[in-house]
Amino acid sequence: MAARNVDERDPMKLRRLLAFSVAGSLALAPAAHAESVLRIAMTASDIPTATGMPNNGFEGMRFLGYPIFEGLVQWDLKHTDKLAGIIPALAERWEQDSNDKKVWTFHLRQGVSFHDGTPFNADAVIWNLDRYFKNDSPQFEPQGAGISRARAPLVGGYKKIDDATVQFTTTQVASYFPDMVVYLLFTSPQSFEKAGRDWAKVAALPAAGTGPFKITRVAPRESVDLAKFDGYWDPNRMAKVDKVRLMPIPEANARVAALRSGQVDWIEVPAPDAIPSLKQAGFAITTGSYPHVWPYIFNIGAKDSPLKDVRVRQALNYCVDRAGIVELLNGTAEPASGWLNDKDPNFGSPKNRYGFDAAKGKALLAEAGYSEKKPLSLKVMISSSGSGQMLPMPMNEYLQENLKQACNVELSFNVVEWQVLLNSSRALPDAQSLQGSMALNVSSPSSDPSVMARYFAGDRFPPGGFNFPNWKDDAFDAALKALAETDDTKVIDAQTALAHERLVDNPPWLFIVHDLNPRGMSKKIHGFVSPQSWFVDLTLVSVQ
C-alpha cells in the first residue's frame, strides 16, 4: 500500500532556507583560519528553548541540553553494545542512606565553573532546584518546572549540607532515583541576573552552563550556534570540533536536500525513500537499536472512552500491520509488541504476543460490541514532525488505511505542533484542549524502571505525571514497588519483567514500532557513536 508523501515543501521556502544556511556557514568560517564546524539539521520546527531546560522533547535535551548544561549524573554514551547507563558528572559520587532509603547524598565535583566564570557549587545546585521545584522562588521558571517535575517526580525535598554536598529526600523509596536526577540540568544563576531576572531574555545572553560546549548565538526559528568550551572540567572529554550549528528543519525531504547540497553535515531522520540514493552518493546512514517506542498512548480515562475495555486495546494491538510500516520506513524500524524491545531480556513472558492477526483483532472487537455496522471510531492527536516522531504523517496515514481494511476501525487525526502534543500528554482525560482525542501519538523512551514508573505508575496521573491513559494495574504497581525497594539487580530485573508483562497483557498503549535511530551524515564526519540511547556525545565527533 502506498502512502502519500506529505514531506514535500514549497521550493521557494527551501531556497530561502538553503540561502540562509550558506550565509550562516560563511559567517561561521572566519578568513583568518579554518575552523571545524559541525552543522546539524534537527527534526524540530523551532530551536529548543536555550535557557538550560530545553523544550521539544528529548531532541531538545540531545542538542540544547546535555552538550551545554549538565546534571549531577550523565549518560555514558561511548558504547553501542549495551544500554547507556549513568556515570558521575557534576557529582563525583552519590549514595542512598542505609537507615532512610528516601535520602540520597550527592558529593559535588570541585573546581568546576560555568561558562561565565562563576563557580559551580552547592548554592548553584539549590538555586536551580528552587527554579524547578519552588513556586515562590524569584527564579521560578514555569516551563522548566513542568518539564523537570514530570521527569523527576519523586523529588520531595533537598538541602545544602556544605559547599560540596547536597542531599535529596524522595517522596517514596526508589532505587532508580539517580536515573531521574540525570534530567535535572544546571544553569548559572548569573545568567538570570544578567537578563534582569527574566527567563524570556536569558537565552539571548546567551545562558551559561558547565558543559563541553557553550552557546554563542541564538536566532529563533533559524539556528543556534555552539562553540567548544576550552575551560571544560573534563580534559578527557574536550570537544573535537570548534563550532556546532543546530538548525530546525522539520520536513524530511528538506533535510535530505540540505545534506545533498552540502549545507549541513548531519541530518536526523532522513526520508526513508531517499536512503538508497544517499548511500549510493557516498553519505553514511547510521542506525541502531535503542530504547525507544513509537506508540499510540490511549486515553482510557475519558468519559465514555471505548478504550476502557481491555479487549479493545488488545484488539488494536493485533490489528496493526507492523511489518508494513517497517517496509514503509525502508527498514529503519523494528516491530513493537510491547513497551520494551522484543529482544530485551526483561521483556518477560506475556500471554499476548502481538503480531498482525486481523481475525483475532476483529473477534475481540466483536466481543466488545463493535461490528461492520457499528465500527470503532477513534480520533488521534498527532504531530507533523518532532523529536523521535520519525515520519508521523505517512506513518499515521498508513495506520489509518491499515486499521480500516484489517479491522474496520475508523481513525481521524487532529494534527498539532510537536510541543502542543507534548503538553497534551499532561492533560486531564476530558480536557477541552484534547478536542475529543482518544489517543496521542507521542514517541517515548523505554530505557529503565524510572521511565516506566513515570509513564505507567498508578500514582502518576496528569498533571503530576505522564500516565496520560489514567491506567492503573495493581500487579504492575506491586512489581514496580518491589524493584524500587531493592538494590539487588536480579530482583530488579525479575520484577521489571513482571511489570512489563502487565503492560503487554493489559496494554495502556498501542505498541507499533521501535525506530532504529537513523541519521544521514557526510563523509567529513568522523568518530560518531550511535549509542543505545536517545542522546549522543557530540564531543566524540570531528569534521575533516
Side-chain angles (χ1 to χ4, degrees):
M1 179 180 64
R4 178 173 61 88
N5 189 333
V6 297
D7 279 315
E8 296 172 356
R9 66 181 292 150
D10 180 350
M12 289 298 294
K13 186 177 180 183
L14 178 56
R15 283 197 289 271
R16 288 195 299 271
L17 173 67
L18 297 183
F20 167 78
S21 300
V22 172
S25 300
L26 294 174
L28 278 170
H33 65 282
E35 292 182 304
S36 57
V37 182
L38 172 63
R39 300 161 301 170
I40 299 175
M42 304 181 292
T43 67
S45 60
D46 194 2
I47 62 168
T49 46
T51 58
M53 183 49 66
N55 63 3
N56 271 278
F58 275 2
E59 188 173 54
M61 290 288 280
R62 178 186 295 150
F63 292 125
L64 260 296
Y66 295 123
I68 307 108
F69 307 96
E70 299 179 299
L72 299 178
V73 299
Q74 65 188 3
W75 297 105
D76 182 359
L77 301 172
K78 295 181 179 179
H79 308 283
T80 61
D81 58 347
K82 61 182 179 179
L83 288 174
I86 56 171
I87 55 177
L90 295 178
E92 293 182 317
R93 68 185 192 280
W94 56 88
E95 67 266 355
Q96 186 178 25
D97 193 300
S98 58
N99 296 317
D100 183 353
K101 292 194 173 184
K102 292 183 180 179
V103 175
W104 291 80
T105 302
F106 288 79
H107 303 275
L108 307 184
R109 191 173 299 278
Q110 299 297 285
V112 176
S113 296
F114 288 102
H115 300 147
D116 59 11
T118 59
F120 170 81
N121 52 29
D123 289 331
V125 171
I126 299 301
W127 185 92
N128 276 276
L129 295 176
D130 284 349
R131 163 193 178 187
Y132 300 138
F133 296 104
K134 188 176 180 183
N135 291 26
D136 60 353
S137 67
Q139 66 270 30
F140 181 68
E141 183 194 11
Q143 177 180 269
I147 294 170
S148 299
R149 292 178 183 186
R151 292 176 180 163
L154 300 187
V155 174
Y158 45 86
K159 63 182 180 180
K160 171 184 174 181
I161 303 300
D162 55 42
D163 284 346
T165 315
V166 295
Q167 196 171 80
F168 288 86
T169 303
T170 59
T171 57
Q172 61 194 58
V173 176
S175 58
Y176 47 76
F177 180 63
D179 292 299
M180 293 183 168
V181 174
V182 75
Y183 298 113
L184 299 175
L185 306 185
F186 298 101
T187 303
S188 168
Q190 190 60 31
S191 295
F192 185 66
E193 296 298 327
K194 285 184 177 178
R197 298 193 166 196
D198 183 350
W199 282 112
K201 298 178 181 177
V202 170
L205 293 175
T210 60
F213 292 93
K214 60 183 180 180
I215 301 172
T216 57
R217 177 180 173 272
V218 177
R221 293 201 174 270
E222 293 181 357
S223 66
V224 178
D225 292 343
L226 312 180
K228 174 182 179 180
F229 178 46
D230 292 327
Y232 186 52
W233 56 267
D234 186 352
N236 297 316
R237 195 167 165 260
M238 300 297 290
K240 294 178 175 60
V241 295
D242 295 309
K243 295 187 178 181
V244 177
R245 169 158 285 184
L246 303 167
M247 290 177 281
I249 306 180
E251 294 87 356
N253 285 341
R255 292 194 296 275
V256 169
L259 182 63
R260 287 187 188 279
S261 63
Q263 308 313 312
V264 298
D265 310 297
W266 159 339
I267 63 172
E268 298 284 286
V269 195
D273 58 2
I275 288 176
S277 62
L278 285 172
K279 288 181 177 179
Q280 189 174 15
F283 295 99
I285 303 296
T286 69
T287 58
S289 290
Y290 75 125
H292 167 268
V293 62
W294 194 91
Y296 280 0
I297 300 177
F298 293 140
N299 186 349
I300 300 170
K303 183 181 179 182
D304 301 325
S305 170
L307 298 166
K308 293 183 187 296
D309 192 324
V310 67
R311 295 170 298 185
V312 174
R313 306 198 302 272
Q314 290 175 342
L316 289 167
N317 272 288
Y318 280 112
C319 289
V320 171
D321 180 8
R322 296 169 178 85
I325 295 181
V326 170
E327 184 178 358
L328 174 70
L329 295 172
N330 213 340
T332 58
E334 302 171 295
S337 59
W339 186 67
L340 294 174
N341 193 295
D342 289 39
K343 299 186 290 290
D344 193 295
N346 293 333
F347 188 93
S349 301
K351 296 176 182 177
N352 294 272
R353 290 303 289 254
Y354 299 120
F356 184 30
D357 190 337
K360 189 165 188 174
K362 286 193 287 188
L364 285 165
L365 287 173
E367 287 180 25
Y370 296 97
S371 63
E372 292 293 323
K373 293 183 178 179
K374 183 190 174 184
L376 173 66
S377 297
L378 297 174
K379 179 187 283 189
V380 184
M381 184 177 286
I382 68 175
S383 65
S384 57
S385 66
S387 170
Q389 291 292 85
M390 295 189 277
L391 299 179
M393 296 302 291
M395 292 169 73
N396 276 294
E397 288 182 339
Y398 186 100
L399 282 170
Q400 186 178 49
E401 183 68 16
N402 161 206
L403 291 175
K404 177 63 178 176
Q405 294 296 326
C407 294
N408 197 36
V409 174
E410 297 178 352
L411 289 188
S412 60
F413 299 128
N414 179 17
V415 185
V416 299
E417 285 194 353
W418 173 232
Q419 190 60 47
V420 173
L421 183 56
L422 282 178
N423 293 342
S424 297
S425 68
R426 294 197 293 271
L428 300 179
D430 289 301
Q432 189 173 0
S433 62
L434 296 176
Q435 302 177 48
S437 298
M438 287 294 104
L440 307 179
N441 174 217
V442 179
S443 59
S444 160
S446 52
S447 55
D448 57 72
S450 76
V451 179
M452 182 183 281
R454 274 171 37 206
Y455 280 104
F456 305 114
D459 59 354
R460 293 295 158 213
F461 291 4
F466 276 121
N467 189 344
F468 172 81
N470 283 215
W471 178 81
K472 184 167 175 54
D473 183 290
D474 291 341
F476 173 89
D477 286 338
L480 191 65
K481 185 174 186 292
L483 70 88
E485 294 180 351
T486 182
D487 56 7
D488 186 325
T489 55
K490 290 183 178 179
V491 174
I492 291 172
D493 288 345
Q495 293 299 322
T496 301
L498 290 175
H500 189 260
E501 289 171 6
R502 296 307 304 152
L503 292 178
V504 177
D505 289 330
N506 183 19
W509 293 5
L510 172 54
F511 307 110
I512 302 172
V513 291
H514 303 288
D515 100 75
L516 291 178
N517 214 7
R519 294 181 173 92
M521 297 185 176
S522 78
K523 295 178 182 179
K524 296 190 297 181
I525 291 183
H526 299 271
F528 172 75
V529 172
S530 182
Q532 292 188 35
S533 170
W534 273 75
F535 310 110
V536 296
D537 189 346
L538 293 181
T539 68
L540 300 175
V541 178
S542 63
V543 177
Q544 299 171 8

